[in-house]
Amino acid sequence: VKTVGEAVEVLAKRFGSAGIDTARLDARVLVAFVLGVNTEKVFGYPETELTSDQHNQLEDVAKRRENREPLARIVGEKEFWSLPFKVSRDTLIPRPDSECLVEAVLDHVEERTGNYSILDLGTGTGCLLISLLHELKNAKGVGVDISQSALQTASDNAQRLDVGERAQFIKNNWCDHLAADRGTRFDVVLSNPPYIPDGDIDSLEPEVNKHEPLRALVGGADGLDIYRMLIQETKALINPEGLLIFEVGAGQSDDVVGLGRANGFNLLNVRCDLAGVERCVLFKLS
Ligand SMILES: C[S@@+](CC[C@H](N)C(=O)[O-])C[C@H]1O[C@@H](n2cnc3c(N)ncnc32)[C@H](O)[C@@H]1O
């Protein structure tokens, strides 16, 4: 393989054989990554020759992708809410579906300039909290995770995206002691918790079950364990009239709505993701 065009052809075939649906696109992205250019350039200048260093580096990343490591993990970054987020082996890669949580909050806060306080439980890369702070310029927020390494990534992302001064990241087991420790409540509490039923983990795509952190995925026998706990425990953390927003897995919205209602929350909205799946449940604390 000498040229960019040949490299894309060869990698697209290899990725296809490895069972990757987006084989050609991935090939182009990885060639662009190794060359340090954008994908349009790879497309437009197929005759560009690869140096031997680039060739070796490409072989290295191609092997990782063949092993079904997610593309975002290899290039180290994923776009969410049109912002670039760094990812690591300890953070879930932000999913476009989760953007509907950001939309839901923005639709339900009274004014964009309000000085809201936001709590993001299981923050990972910080994508939800940071996107909200990016839109709500006077808001401040706390991101909680059990993984110190994820918190470091979230904190780096907040700095890079210019909301570092309004974001705080703390290591904690969900809401344990938070209400007592902080002595204040939040206007908005949101979470994209682990919600995959234990028995479904094996049948997920290898990009997910071999490469995403398991603690970001497993939600107990029926996938609802964390919702049951958070619906109870967040009550002490939300201001009167405050919002509680969850991402839910496909088919879980009715159960989560039921859990909220049984615990004194009023349902405000259920929103669908880009594929039309009910993905976001929004409650108000009465
Ligand atoms: C599904 S991921 C969501 C990540 C991010 N908020 C997003 O939407 O992309 C769930 C997150 O919960 C965190 N988590 C798992 N167990 C936890 C616990 N006991 N306490 C706090 N966070 C936890 C995981 O580390 C992971 O970052």
Side-chain angles (χ1 to χ4, degrees):
V1 173
K2 281 213 177 79
T3 68
V4 158
E6 288 165 1
V8 171
E9 287 307 315
V10 169
L11 287 194
K13 281 212 187 72
R14 279 171 60 180
F15 292 167
S17 311
I20 297 167
D21 291 341
T22 51
R24 181 160 292 273
L25 177 67
D26 289 13
R28 237 181 247 156
V29 170
L30 287 183
V31 172
F33 172 65
V34 163
L35 266 65
V37 300
N38 59 29
T39 44
E40 290 78 43
K41 195 122 186 194
V42 167
F43 196 59
Y45 299 88
E47 69 287 357
T48 309
E49 295 204 359
L50 295 168
T51 67
S52 71
D53 270 2
Q54 288 169 337
H55 191 273
N56 293 340
Q57 212 192 333
L58 189 59
E59 186 51 31
D60 183 47
V61 294
K63 285 212 180 86
R64 289 171 63 185
R65 187 67 191 106
E66 278 181 311
N67 188 33
R68 304 295 295 268
E69 190 168 338
L71 201 62
R73 182 75 62 67
I74 298 172
V75 304
E77 212 172 82
K78 173 77 183 181
E79 193 177 282
F80 181 85
W81 200 256
S82 301
L83 300 169
F85 285 88
K86 286 207 178 288
V87 303
S88 79
R89 54 181 302 152
D90 295 306
T91 61
L92 187 87
I93 297 165
R95 305 292 201 265
D97 291 340
S98 307
E99 291 180 346
C100 73
L101 272 78
V102 179
E103 287 170 359
V105 175
L106 294 178
D107 276 1
H108 283 86
V109 294
E110 278 178 9
E111 41 182 294
R112 298 259 171 138
T113 52
N115 60 347
Y116 302 108
S117 59
I118 304 170
L119 173 65
D120 179 17
L121 294 163
T123 198
T125 54
C127 60
L128 297 173
L129 176 65
I130 292 167
S131 300
L132 281 171
L133 294 180
H134 195 264
E135 300 297 326
L136 304 170
K137 300 289 185 202
N138 295 319
K140 59 188 186 322
V142 177
V144 166
D145 211 285
I146 195 78
S147 158
Q148 188 64 53
S149 152
L151 291 164
Q152 185 58 55
T153 302
S155 168
D156 289 350
N157 280 327
Q159 295 295 340
R160 273 165 34 103
L161 297 168
D162 280 340
V163 301
E165 295 192 348
R166 294 182 287 129
Q168 195 192 348
F169 293 97
I170 56 178
K171 185 174 175 196
N172 206 48
N173 179 40
W174 299 120
C175 338
D176 284 1
H177 317 294
L178 268 189
D181 286 357
R182 302 190 65 83
T184 56
R185 293 178 180 238
F186 295 86
D187 301 310
V188 177
V189 173
L190 73 161
S191 185
N192 172 14
Y195 55 63
I196 313 287
D198 295 348
D200 292 358
I201 299 281
D202 283 351
S203 54
L204 299 174
E205 291 290 315
E207 277 81 356
V208 183
N209 65 16
K210 275 175 68 183
H211 295 282
E212 292 281 30
L214 210 55
R215 74 167 84 81
L217 305 176
V218 289
D222 64 357
L224 302 173
D225 280 4
I226 312 295
Y227 299 106
R228 284 192 194 91
M229 180 273 293
L230 290 182
I231 279 172
Q232 298 273 344
E233 298 196 359
T234 52
K235 273 189 279 185
L237 284 168
I238 306 178
N239 276 324
E241 310 270 292
L243 302 174
L244 174 64
I245 299 100
F246 286 128
E247 175 166 330
V248 298
Q252 292 177 333
S253 60
D254 287 349
D255 286 325
V256 173
V257 167
L259 285 169
R261 286 192 165 135
N263 283 279
F265 286 97
N266 292 325
L267 179 67
L268 285 186
N269 196 1
V270 177
R271 292 175 87 95
C272 294
D273 63 21
L274 300 166
V277 175
E278 291 189 345
R279 185 62 67 188
C280 168
V281 177
L282 187 128
F283 298 105
K284 188 176 207 167
L285 189 60
S286 48

